[in-house]
Amino acid sequence: MATLASFSSRLGAVVRELASKKGPGGWCGRHMAAAERAILDRIPLVDLVVEVRDARIPSTSAFKCLRKACCSHKQVIVLNKVDLADNFLTERWLKHFKNQNYITYGLNAHNKDSIKELLRILRARVKELKVGESNYTATILLTGIPNVGKSAIANSMHQIGRIGAAEKGKLKHAVVNPHPGETKDISSYKIASHPNLYVLDSPGILRLKIAHNDMGAKLALTGAMEDFLIGEYDLARYFLAILNLSEEYKRWEKLKDTLDDTLSSVSLEKHVVGRETVQRKPRQYPSDHTQDFIVKDVRQTLFKTISSFEGHLEEENNMEKIIESQFIALQEALKVSSESSEDRYKAVAVKLLNLYRTGRLGRYTLDLVSTEV
C-alpha cells in the first residue's frame, strides 16, 4: 500500500539515521557490541540456542548473526507475544519456519501452560542431542533483539521449572521492563532437574545496519528501541495508518451495545453496609487510560472516524486528514487535557501506543510470510 509505505519510509529514515549515530543520541554503543561478541563466543559452548522473536514481526525481529554462528539443528525459534499478533498469520509463520527445518513454537511468556509446553519441547530436544547420556547438565541460551521478552521467558521457565523439580532456595528474577535494553549481562537460571537444565538470559542485540526503512519502522513501533528517540507522535501516526487500512476497526461496530451490557454486569465490588453486603461498580479513574470504559470510548471513536470518512485512504493527503481528526477526537476519549496542543498530541500518542502494544486495540502482524528465515 503506497500510503502506508510513505509513513513507514519517513519513520524508517529516522531509525536508520539513529542507527548510524555513535555515542549520545543513538541506541547502539560499545556495550551492545561487547554483548554481541559475548553471545557469539558462548554459542559453541551451549547445548541449545533459543532465538526469541516478536510474533508481530517474525522476519524483522530475527537475530541476524545467528545465521552463520548456529546450525539449525541446535536452534529453536520461539515467536513470543502471539497474543498480540494475528492468529492466522502466526500459524503461517510457524509452518514456514518448520518447512525451513527449524523447531519452532508460538508463545505467550505470561501464560503458564504456554511456558510448560516450551519447557517440554526444550527438554525433549536436549534429550535428543544428548542421546546415549543419562546424567548430564545442559545449558540453553536465549538470544534475540531488544524487547522481545527473553527475560520474561527466563523468569517464567525458572519459576515453573523449580516448582516442578521441588527445588529449594531463593528464587532469582531477571529484570523485566517494557523499555528495551534493560538486560546488560548474561545470567544463568535453573529451569529443570534430573537432568539439570540451565537457561542463559542474554542482552538484546540490535545491529547497526538496518536493511531498509520499512524494517526500521516496524522495529520502532513494536518497541525494539526507546520511543523518545523516534518520537511518540510519529510512532502513533504510523500505527493509526496501519489501523485505518486494516479491517480491525470493523470489529467495534456493535461495541456500544455489547460493552455497555458487559460493563454493567461484571467487576462489581462487594461492600458491607451495616449488616448487609451490597454490590457496587468499581470506581472509575479517568487518568487511567487502560480502564475498560476508556478503552471502549477509544474504540468507538476510532470506528466512527474511519467509517464516516468519505475519502480514499490509499491517498496520502486523505490519510493525513483522518489521522489529524483522530488525534483531536481521541483527546476527549482518552481524557487528555493539557494547555498546549503539542502536549495534548504527545499525551494521546503515548496512551495510544500503550493500548496498541498491550493488545487493547486489536492484533496485528506487520510481516507477511516471506522466504526469509
Side-chain angles (χ1 to χ4, degrees):
M1 297 178 182
T3 303
L4 191 57
S6 177
F7 275 78
S8 65
S9 179
R10 290 198 297 267
L11 191 63
V14 175
V15 174
R16 294 185 74 180
E17 183 179 351
L18 279 169
S20 65
K21 284 186 177 181
K22 296 181 179 179
W27 75 75
C28 297
R30 293 181 179 177
H31 72 280
M32 191 171 287
E36 182 176 345
R37 288 194 297 271
I39 291 170
L40 294 178
D41 289 344
R42 193 69 63 95
I43 287 175
L45 306 177
V46 300
D47 298 282
L48 199 62
V49 176
V50 176
E51 182 192 3
V52 183
R53 300 192 188 186
D54 189 322
R56 297 167 295 178
I57 48 172
S59 176
T60 301
S61 59
F63 187 32
K64 304 296 184 184
C65 64
L66 279 184
R67 291 179 179 177
K68 295 181 179 179
C70 184
C71 302
S72 61
H73 76 276
K74 190 179 175 179
Q75 183 181 353
V76 175
I77 295 177
V78 168
L79 298 185
N80 190 26
K81 306 185 182 183
V82 293
D83 52 312
L84 305 179
D86 179 272
N87 282 328
F88 174 74
L89 288 175
T90 296
E91 289 300 320
R92 289 196 62 189
W93 272 109
L94 291 172
K95 183 178 180 180
H96 167 73
F97 291 130
K98 288 176 182 176
N99 289 339
Q100 300 289 325
N101 296 320
Y102 285 93
I103 297 174
T104 184
Y105 179 60
L107 175 76
N108 174 359
H110 303 290
N111 182 287
K112 287 186 178 180
D113 290 336
S114 194
I115 290 293
K116 287 179 180 178
E117 178 61 16
L118 176 62
L119 277 168
R120 187 197 66 77
I121 292 171
L122 297 181
R123 294 186 73 162
R125 185 56 182 158
V126 169
K127 187 176 181 180
E128 290 176 0
L129 295 174
K130 294 282 190 179
V131 62
E133 300 181 43
S134 56
N135 187 20
Y136 56 81
T137 295
T139 53
I140 300 168
L141 176 64
L142 292 180
T143 65
I145 69 170
N147 212 22
V148 290
K150 297 183 296 298
S151 296
I153 293 172
N155 278 337
S156 296
M157 288 199 298
H158 177 48
Q159 184 176 21
I160 291 174
R162 286 175 79 261
I163 293 172
E167 288 281 340
K168 294 182 179 181
K170 187 176 180 181
L171 184 67
K172 294 170 65 178
H173 288 283
V175 176
V176 177
N177 196 297
H179 301 288
E182 287 300 312
T183 303
K184 304 295 185 185
D185 302 302
I186 297 176
S187 303
S188 174
Y189 303 88
K190 190 172 185 178
I191 61 172
S193 298
H194 312 298
N196 294 322
L197 292 184
Y198 291 85
V199 64
L200 305 179
D201 183 27
S202 66
I205 305 297
L206 194 57
R207 300 296 298 270
L208 282 166
K209 186 177 180 181
I210 303 295
H212 47 78
N213 288 338
D214 187 51
M215 179 180 178
K218 292 174 183 177
L219 288 168
L221 183 60
T222 51
M225 58 201 72
E226 293 280 11
D227 289 345
F228 73 87
L229 292 171
I230 315 299
E232 293 88 348
Y233 175 62
D234 290 331
L235 286 169
R237 278 166 48 85
Y238 179 44
F239 165 66
L240 285 174
I242 293 171
L243 170 64
N244 292 338
L245 292 170
S246 75
E247 300 291 314
E248 191 67 33
Y249 77 96
K250 294 181 180 179
R251 300 172 184 261
W252 307 329
E253 182 175 6
K254 298 180 180 179
L255 192 62
K256 184 173 180 14
D257 297 331
T258 56
L259 241 75
D260 282 347
D261 293 340
T262 302
L263 292 174
S264 64
S265 61
V266 300
S267 303
L268 296 179
E269 296 177 344
K270 291 183 178 181
H271 298 269
V272 178
V273 180
R275 294 183 178 181
E276 296 182 358
T277 300
V278 297
Q279 289 184 323
R280 298 174 181 170
K281 290 183 180 180
R283 292 180 180 179
Q284 295 182 339
Y285 300 93
S287 60
D288 182 3
H289 66 280
T290 65
Q291 292 187 105
D292 287 343
F293 79 100
I294 291 183
V295 175
K296 181 196 72 170
D297 288 344
V298 170
R299 291 174 178 173
Q300 286 181 335
T301 298
L302 291 170
F303 174 79
K304 290 175 181 176
T305 55
I306 301 171
S307 59
S308 63
F309 192 79
E310 297 181 352
H312 295 288
L313 292 178
E314 291 78 10
E315 297 177 10
E316 189 173 346
N317 288 339
N318 286 332
M319 182 64 79
E320 294 281 359
K321 288 179 183 178
I322 191 174
I323 290 176
E324 176 65 20
S325 70
Q326 287 171 326
F327 264 93
I328 294 172
L330 286 170
Q331 291 175 35
E332 181 178 351
L334 288 166
K335 317 300 180 188
V336 170
S337 57
S338 300
E339 291 185 3
S340 69
S341 59
E342 183 178 347
D343 290 340
R344 290 197 299 270
Y345 277 40
K346 181 177 180 180
V348 168
V350 170
K351 293 182 177 184
L352 194 65
L353 287 171
N354 175 261
L355 292 180
Y356 155 67
R357 289 170 178 166
T358 53
R360 304 300 298 277
L361 297 178
R363 302 164 69 136
Y364 304 86
T365 298
L366 307 181
D367 282 346
L368 298 179
V369 180
S370 66
T371 57
E372 294 184 17
V373 175

